[in-house]
Amino acid sequence: MVMDWNQYHKEIGARVGDLAKLSPDTVKGYQTLSAANSKTSKLGEKTRQLISLAVAVTTRCDGCIVFHTDAALKAGATREEIAEALGVAVSMNAGAALIYSSRVLDAVEAKSAAHA
């Protein structure tokens, strides 16, 4: 195992609690935004959590991973469904790298012309 996710879950929860004491409006704002998405039933909790896991991977957020893994499992997501959502995250990251590679080539052309 890469890390003790259960212990990390406790620790990150405590640290977010510390932030809530120092900056309660920031945490309240986050909670309001987060709760806004759960008020509709169009996607359902399991789908929302699978999307959250894919986004957590693409944003490289360990705290998001631990919280949304717990929530996805509680919502009934299977390991196979989670793996499929992660596959989407992998393909999106590869696609984004491909698209942004064209931006690098564009910058190379512009900078090469400036150095000529």
Side-chain angles (χ1 to χ4, degrees), residues 20-65:
K21 291 175 189 169
L22 294 168
S23 184
D25 288 340
T26 298
V27 175
K28 285 179 192 172
Y30 166 77
Q31 290 171 332
T32 299
L33 183 60
S34 183
N37 284 317
S38 64
K39 291 185 179 181
T40 66
S41 61
K42 303 290 189 270
L43 293 176
E45 184 62 13
K46 181 170 75 170
T47 300
R48 274 193 296 280
Q49 294 306 324
L50 291 170
I51 293 169
S52 295
L53 284 172
V55 172
V57 167
T58 61
T59 58
R60 298 172 185 93
C61 176
D62 285 340
C64 302
I65 289 170

Side-chain angles (χ1 to χ4, degrees), residues 100-116:
Y100 264 76
S101 294
S102 68
R103 294 174 66 89
V104 171
L105 293 177
D106 194 40
V108 167
E109 281 184 30
K111 290 298 185 178
S112 294
H115 289 280

Side-chain angles (χ1 to χ4, degrees), residues 8 16 50 53 78 84:
Y8 178 69
V16 170
L50 291 170
L53 284 172
T78 65
E84 189 170 328

